Amino acid sequence: MDLSQQNLIFAFTLTLVAGLSTGLGSTLAFFTKKTNKKQLAGALGLSAGVMIYVAMIELFATARSELSTVSGTSQGYLLTTVCFFAGIAVIALIDFLVPDLTNPHELKDESDLANASPADLSLLRMSLLTSLAVAVHNFPEGIATFTSALENPTLGISIAIAIAIHNIPEGIAISIPVYCATGNRRKAFLLSLFSGLAEPLGAVLAYLFLRQYHGEMMLGIVTAGVAGIMVFISLDELL
């Protein structure tokens, strides 16, 4: 995994772009009369396929190779498998603990909420909790994008695109309730945008961790865990 300055900037930029795509979802919600759910659902399915393929074919194999170099073939494979499922367990725990008042991946448009009152505080509360849920989910996604880009820049681009597509409906899910509750497009846009900033925050913390514990063993463990996170996101959220 390359921790050179040029590669770090590239990986962080990819993660930032992926995170800010929640703002794109917000923009699409405001400037289109109705969300094209078929096209967006198709894009999410494609995104899930890319992430599952990369996780199982690229990241898992890379982690196994790195850990086998340190621990031997049998122990390396076992450790890779354990770390893979540990990644699934971590993101599943986050998913369990985050308030499930509303599904941030439920596609919405303004016509879905046309009857909402501009002063509906419960709707505003729902949107704020949705924003929090999205931010918490985006944190490990930022780690996944960043570490993938460090491992392989071309691979990182694929992951960033998949995550960006995945973040578009999240931006819609946050911004539409805020707009219907407050009538303020700017507030709705900014809230959805800020929730996406959890991804570059995850990238920063991943860098600080990797810089301190850089080595084949740690890189293999992180890579296997990221593969598990990506598979869970694909199966539980995208599909």
Side-chain angles (χ1 to χ4, degrees):
M1 191 174 289
D2 187 1
L3 295 181
S4 65
Q5 183 176 0
Q6 182 177 1
N7 211 37
L8 285 171
I9 293 174
F10 176 76
F12 182 79
T13 301
L14 280 181
T15 307
L16 180 63
V17 170
L20 294 181
S21 62
T22 54
L24 175 60
S26 178
T27 302
L28 290 175
F30 294 143
F31 290 96
T32 57
K33 293 183 178 180
K34 188 172 180 64
T35 306
N36 191 321
K37 297 183 180 182
K38 288 185 178 180
Q39 290 184 3
L40 199 50
L44 289 172
L46 178 63
S47 169
V50 170
M51 290 180 65
I52 291 173
Y53 177 86
V54 168
M56 300 304 300
I57 303 300
E58 297 284 349
L59 296 183
F60 189 92
T62 299
R64 180 182 180 183
S65 175
E66 291 174 343
L67 293 174
S68 295
T69 300
V70 178
S71 304
T73 302
S74 298
Q75 290 187 356
Y77 182 67
L78 176 62
L79 185 56
T80 302
T81 303
V82 170
C83 292
F84 173 82
F85 285 104
I88 292 178
V90 169
I91 187 64
L93 179 62
I94 291 174
D95 193 60
F96 175 77
L97 294 177
V98 170
D100 194 24
L101 182 63
T102 183
N103 183 0
H105 300 91
E106 182 75 24
L107 307 186
K108 298 178 178 67
D109 52 49
E110 290 190 39
S111 63
D112 294 334
L113 300 171
N115 296 324
S117 168
D120 191 348
L121 295 180
S122 64
L123 188 61
L124 180 60
R125 177 176 177 272
M126 179 191 74
S127 61
L128 292 175
L129 286 176
T130 301
S131 176
L132 174 63
V134 169
V136 173
H137 281 88
N138 282 349
F139 183 78
E141 292 171 9
I143 296 175
T145 306
F146 182 74
T147 54
S148 299
L150 288 179
E151 185 67 51
N152 184 330
T154 302
L155 185 65
I157 293 175
S158 300
I159 297 300
I161 293 174
I163 292 290
I165 294 173
H166 155 236
N167 285 342
I168 290 175
E170 292 183 345
I172 296 173
I174 294 170
S175 59
I176 291 301
V178 174
Y179 174 67
C180 290
T182 66
N184 191 317
R185 293 178 188 266
R186 184 171 178 271
K187 286 183 179 179
F189 174 77
L190 289 177
L191 186 61
S192 67
L193 192 66
F194 287 153
S195 68
L197 293 180
E199 291 201 12
L201 177 60
V204 170
L205 293 183
Y207 164 68
L208 294 176
F209 181 81
L210 289 173
R211 184 180 64 175
Q212 185 174 359
Y213 300 102
H214 185 67
E216 285 187 339
M217 173 68 76
M218 185 54 62
L219 295 179
I221 290 173
V222 172
T223 302
V226 164
I229 289 172
M230 289 172 56
V231 168
F232 181 90
I233 291 171
S234 299
L235 298 179
D236 181 70
E237 298 182 3
L238 299 186
L239 291 181

